[in-house]
Structures are given as structure tokens and as C-alpha cells.
Amino acid sequence: MSARGPLALIGVLDGVLRAALAPAPAPTQAAELAERTVQDDVAERRFELGIFLRAIPIVLIVLAVLAVRLLVV
Amino acid sequence: MTVLEWFLAALVLCGALPQVSGCYQYALASVHRFRRRPTPVGASFPRVAIIVPAWNEEAVIGRTLDQLAALEYPAGHLRVYVVDDASTDATPDRVRAKAAQYPGLVFHLRREKGGEGKAHTINHGLTIIREEGWYEAVMVIDADVILTPPALRRMTRHLLDPDVGAVTAYIKEGSRPGNTVNRFIAFEYITAQGAARRAQNVLGAQACLAGGAQLIRRSSFEAIGGRIDTSTLAEDTVTTFKVQMAGGAVVFDPHAIVWAEEPRDLGGLWRQRVRWARGNVQVTSAFRGIWFNRARGGPLGGIGFAFIWFSIFLMPLLMVLSTAGLLGLFFIDEDTSVHVFRTLWFLTLLTYLFITLSSFSMDPETAKRCWVQGVCFPGLVSLAIIAYASFPSLLDDLLVPALHDLGISTTGALPTVALIFVYVWPTACMGFAWLNCRLERVRGLRWAAMPMLYLVGYGPLLCAITTAGYLKELRGADMVWEKTEKTGHIGAELTP
């Protein structure tokens, strides 16, 4: 640690004390955020499923180009 | 065909390996929904210490701290430590003001002797938070990045799984209004992050925790020594490898989005990526015992992971081998060389279609903004070669009459010269990309750099930069941390 380390630590402790004296957070905040995270999960799974489903026509397009090449050349 | 011709044909097809690897990654990414490590359903809010290394970041640090204060994360579970690396601008004042504005959240740690590089700066902060002992997970971010409000809680939920040691976010290019270079980078990140890291989730091995936003569980961090590597230019990749070798899984969360400001010109891009390329050489060498060796490397020792790593790592060499093979075939049997050339470039067409369309599907929002750069990613010259090689009869019907109309003869030396040009293009394009970066510095010709970028392609530019990085590393050049200049161009609409 540099020579400024202890001073920095004092700064940190100062901040911790200020935090301790600050008003306590609303007790429902964590529960509300947890609920939001669960809801996000549903949308995310749907999005990931969409990636899989959209890959099917993409593969078909690639196969169609391959077929055209084999027929034309 | 003789044995020599088969050998040369095999060399030519080496040029397709990076594209095949790209398709492999997109195929894995498309089954990410079913084959990744299950995302725990629920929320976890460990006490997170965010380390922000900062050197002369006055343009961005205030906004970064404001958006960290706006994260959707329980109050009292988050602390932000700005490690000011002896900044000489107004960074200290800005951070002190924010520390007063957000007591208990923002802390200013000042290094009086700076300039040793990002890893040393991060380690200074890590030493202090480890002495303090409050944190349950540590997150390292860049001073310019903007975490979307849900990003941190989406990342921390993975820590509900006790096997997960670290989580990385989806870094997206955030400059608004972005220029051409920014939009090429934005499209590149769909491939390099959105697709590649999903694929690595499926493989169970991550190549790199994004340097701009990486979350590490305390026990995993302590298991790797509680410090960031300072011996290479790729400290984030080293951390990623060490966490996994210590038994912790590393997970990419594609829905934890972090906006980052990326270089706005070719010179800045060149400096940044040369550093990354040199770091990759150092990592490949430092971990040489793990490749293709599951006993030593765990998930990193898998064949699939090594295939992805080395097809990118060796890309410049593969391009040169491919060109050499084609030229060799040309001098032995021109007809065979034409046949192999057409096969190679038709394969390129198929992989280009699959990768480009899949990129649009994987990140429609970015694709909407950058579809032109996505289409032009290989360069217009390469696209013309793809068209010519794949459907020669169609193009001959159009091109030959057009040349005749212009009074250009299509007999004599011209067809041979044209053929050799397209044969050497996969290698020559790297030289043109290098020249284009020089062109950007020439007063009066700077305007031509962007049209040239579309012609030569962004992919070849990355290949050229990688080559330059390797040469610099082979020369044993000094490991100087050339910081990417941040000017605060991340769009206001992206900030909370």
C-alpha cells in the first residue's frame, strides 16, 4: 500500500460512518427488486427462445443459396 | 490431383477456418436458451464493492458516478471506490464532490504516484477494500462505462449458484451520435460479445471477463490471490482464466447491458487493439499447458474452446497460408486453382450469410443502427469477390460487356492479373487496411479513410491490427498502457 493508503482508509471509514448515520433504506426495496428480477427472467427466456426460432429461417436461407449455386453452376 | 495439389488445396481451405469457427459460435449461441448453465430464478444482493480506476477522467467520471448511484440495487449493499491514479485534471475535485453528494456510496482513493497502468491502479483499490473486509463481491468497471439500471442486479443473481465465481456483462458501443468507426465496433460487439460469449456459456468456458464490467465473488477472488495480474497487457483475460482454473464458473449475462465509449478514429482503434492482440499472445503463452488438456485446463482445455481461440488467434497466419496455397496451385494447375478458389469463396458466402443474418437476429436494436456496417463488414472488395466466385456466369454476363463498352479488352494479361489479385486479396487486404490507417493521418486525405474502410473492410482491419500486435510482441516492445481517450460521447438517452 502506498503512503496514502492509511489516509485513504480514513476516507473510507468516514464514508462508512456517514452511511451509518444516513436514513435506513426502505425494507421493501430488496423485495421489490427481487420481484423485478424474477419478472425480467421471463422476458429474457422469451428473447433467447426467439434467437433459436429465428435461426431456423436463417439456416433455410443458407440452404436455399447452396441449392441455387448447385443448380446454376 | 497430385498429393502436392491436395496439400495446397488444404492450405487454401485453412482460410475458411475462422469463418467456420464463427458459424460454430453462432450455432452454439442459438441454443443458448437450452444449453447454458441455468440462470437462478430469484435475486441475490451481495455487498458489492465497485472499483473504478480513473486517470484524467474529468469528462466522464461525474456522470459515471451519477449512474452508479441510480443502479437498481438495495441501498447499503453497494460501495463505489474511485481509484484516482494521480490525475492531473479536475478528476479529484469531481470525485470528491460526488463523495459528498453520495455519502456512504462513493469513496475517493488517491494514488500520488501513478502512471503504472490500469492493473496497478485496480490493485491499489483492491488492497484497501480487502483490508476493510466489507465486500462479498467485487466489480471492476471502466471510468467511462454506463451500467443500465438493472445490470448489476442481473449480474449478481448468478451468484445464487455457488459454483459461479464471476459474471461478465454485455458491453455495447454507446457513442451517440456515433460515427462510422463506432458503428463498425457496435456491430463487431454483437459477434465478439453477444454471440461469442453466449457460445462460451454453452461450452462452459469463458475467454474473457469484459474489462469494462466484471463481477467476481469474494471467495473466487481470494482464491486467485486477491490481486489483478500486472505481468501482461490482458489482465482481464488472466483473471478469467485463473478464476476458472480455481474451480469457479464464469458466466456471461447477455441481458446485463453496459454502454462503453469506444475509439472514434482508426488510430485510436489501432492502439487499443494492438494492446489487446499483444495481451492475447501473452495469455496464450502463459497458459500454454492448458490447451487441448482438460486435466489441466478444466473447461478451458476443451477442443471446442481451443478451436474458437486459435481460429481467431491464428487468423492472420491462416489468411497468408490460404493465399500461398492458391498461388501455388495457380502455378501448377490454373484450372484446379480456380476450382478451389471458387469453393473457398462460396463457403465464405454461406458463412457470411449465416453470421450476418444471425447477428441481426441476436441484437436487433444494434443491427437497426448498424446494418450497413454489418453488411460491409468484410469490405466491398471481398463482397465483389464473393459474388464473382460464387456465381461466375451471372457476373460474366454483366461485367464482360460492361468492360467492352468501356473499351477495355478482356483478353490478354488482364484476366490473369485479375485472378492473381483476387487470390492474394485475403492477405493484401491487411496491407491496404494498414495503409488506410496511415491515410487517416494525412492532412487533406483524411476524408478518404472512411470510404476506404468500406472498400477494404473492417474484418481485414482487425486482422491487420492483430498482425501488428503480434509483430510488436515478437519485437519485445515495451508494455506501455496506451489509454483510450474518453470524451464523454455516450448518448444522454442511454444514461438513466
Side-chain angles (χ1 to χ4, degrees):
Chain A
M1 191 161 53
S2 75
R4 295 282 294 184
L7 286 178
L9 200 55
I10 290 169
V12 171
L13 291 172
D14 175 55
V16 173
L17 280 174
R18 284 166 183 256
L21 298 172
T28 56
Q29 188 190 18
E32 188 187 314
L33 291 175
E35 176 59 29
R36 213 178 292 175
T37 305
V38 173
Q39 287 168 4
D40 285 352
D41 190 62
V42 176
E44 289 166 11
R45 284 170 196 270
R46 196 175 297 141
F47 183 82
E48 297 291 319
L49 181 64
I51 290 176
F52 171 74
L53 293 175
R54 287 192 295 271
I56 296 169
I58 292 170
V59 170
L60 291 177
I61 289 171
V62 172
L63 290 176
V65 173
L66 177 63
V68 169
R69 167 68 152 71
L70 292 176
L71 289 172
V72 170
V73 180
Chain B
M1 278 173 66
T2 64
V3 174
L4 178 62
E5 286 172 344
W6 277 112
F7 172 71
L8 292 172
L11 280 187
V12 175
L13 293 179
C14 279
L17 279 179
Q19 298 143 27
V20 173
S21 162
C23 287
Y24 174 54
Q25 291 181 72
Y26 273 91
L28 289 175
S30 65
V31 296
H32 184 250
R33 165 71 179 79
F34 312 103
R35 299 293 299 274
R36 61 178 163 162
R37 173 184 289 276
T39 302
V41 178
S44 166
F45 303 112
R47 293 190 298 273
V48 177
I50 298 184
I51 302 279
V52 188
W55 179 70
N56 289 354
E57 306 282 4
E58 66 177 6
V60 294
I61 194 69
R63 189 191 53 191
T64 299
L65 294 174
D66 284 338
Q67 57 88 24
L68 288 174
L71 284 177
E72 294 172 1
Y73 209 72
H77 284 234
L78 184 65
R79 290 182 186 172
V80 180
Y81 300 82
V82 181
V83 188
D84 166 17
D85 192 30
S87 296
T88 52
D89 65 355
T91 300
D93 297 334
R94 300 270 156 84
V95 178
R96 276 194 286 268
K98 290 298 172 188
Q101 185 181 348
Y102 305 115
L105 175 70
V106 174
F107 303 94
H108 178 219
L109 308 178
R110 170 86 176 168
R111 290 185 86 200
E112 291 301 337
K113 269 181 67 180
E116 290 180 287
K118 184 180 168 186
H120 287 276
T121 309
I122 294 169
N123 278 335
H124 181 80
L126 290 172
T127 303
I128 289 171
I129 67 158
R130 289 179 73 210
E131 283 176 5
E132 192 186 80
W134 172 84
Y135 79 108
E136 293 173 318
V138 60
M139 181 149 171
V140 179
I141 69 169
D142 287 341
D144 63 301
V145 300
I146 298 292
L147 277 76
T148 51
L152 182 59
R153 67 175 166 82
R154 286 178 179 166
M155 292 173 80
T156 54
R157 67 185 155 165
H158 295 279
L159 299 183
L160 283 171
D161 179 346
D163 293 335
V164 171
V167 187
T168 189
Y170 183 9
I171 307 280
K172 296 175 71 161
E173 210 293 317
S175 300
R176 301 288 186 280
N179 63 14
T180 298
V181 174
N182 294 141
R183 282 194 285 273
F184 269 114
I185 294 172
F187 189 82
E188 176 203 358
Y189 279 8
I190 303 179
T191 303
Q193 305 225 10
R197 289 183 174 162
R198 273 187 176 91
Q200 290 161 22
N201 269 352
V202 174
L203 289 172
Q206 279 292 335
C208 186
L209 286 160
Q214 46 183 291
L215 177 77
I216 309 173
R217 186 194 293 277
R218 179 175 182 165
S219 57
S220 287
F221 188 60
E222 295 294 336
I224 64 168
R227 289 182 69 77
I228 295 292
D229 172 72
T230 54
S231 64
T232 72
L233 288 167
E235 83 291 338
D236 42 8
T237 310
V238 172
T239 303
T240 314
F241 276 39
K242 282 184 172 177
V243 167
Q244 289 171 101
M245 291 177 72
V250 174
V251 173
F252 165 62
D253 190 322
H255 304 283
I257 292 170
V258 174
W259 299 102
E261 182 184 337
E262 299 296 344
R264 296 178 64 78
D265 55 26
L266 298 179
L269 182 72
W270 188 279
R271 285 190 295 279
Q272 181 195 55
R273 300 306 175 89
V274 162
R275 191 176 74 229
W276 292 5
R278 289 187 67 190
N280 283 342
V281 176
Q282 293 162 352
V283 168
T284 307
S285 169
F287 292 89
R288 56 188 167 277
I290 68 164
W291 304 112
F292 302 101
N293 186 343
R294 273 200 173 273
R296 292 187 68 178
L300 297 169
I303 292 172
F305 184 75
F307 174 54
I308 291 172
W309 180 276
F310 282 103
S311 63
I312 296 167
F313 182 73
L314 297 174
M315 196 186 291
L317 178 65
L318 293 171
M319 294 299 117
V320 173
L321 288 179
S322 182
T323 300
L326 264 180
L327 288 177
L329 276 177
F330 174 78
F331 289 114
I332 293 171
D333 180 353
E334 187 177 328
D335 287 343
T336 305
S337 74
V338 170
H339 189 70
V340 174
F341 158 75
R342 285 183 179 161
T343 304
L344 172 72
W345 283 88
F346 182 64
L347 196 59
T348 304
L349 169 66
L350 296 182
T351 55
Y352 165 75
L353 277 177
F354 183 64
I355 290 172
T356 307
L357 293 175
S358 298
S359 298
F360 292 165
S361 154
M362 202 152 289
D363 190 341
E365 183 196 4
T366 304
K368 198 173 170 186
R369 195 168 69 92
C370 310
W371 66 270
V372 174
Q373 288 71 28
V375 170
C376 297
F377 202 84
L380 294 174
V381 174
S382 291
L383 290 177
I385 295 174
I386 286 175
Y388 171 69
S390 303
F391 302 99
S393 56
L394 293 177
L395 212 66
D396 281 346
D397 293 344
L398 297 171
L399 190 63
V400 172
L403 288 174
H404 282 166
D405 289 348
L406 291 170
I408 299 171
S409 168
T410 54
T411 55
L414 183 65
T416 306
V417 171
L419 199 60
I420 291 179
F421 173 78
V422 295
Y423 281 9
V424 301
W425 179 251
T427 299
C429 64
M430 290 190 266
F432 281 105
W434 176 80
L435 280 174
N436 195 26
C437 286
R438 297 294 171 277
L439 187 68
E440 191 190 55
R441 295 185 200 164
V442 179
R443 192 174 297 171
L445 289 176
R446 193 181 159 87
W447 61 270
M450 287 308 116
M452 275 284 284
L453 181 59
Y454 282 103
L455 271 179
V456 176
Y458 185 82
L461 172 65
L462 294 182
C463 224
I465 295 174
T466 304
T467 308
Y470 293 172
L471 293 176
K472 203 168 179 182
E473 186 62 18
L474 281 173
R475 274 206 322 268
D478 288 342
M479 289 209 301
V480 180
W481 187 276
E482 292 179 282
K483 182 175 176 289
T484 306
E485 190 188 349
K486 309 292 183 181
T487 52
H489 272 97
I490 292 183
E493 68 273 28
L494 302 175
T495 57

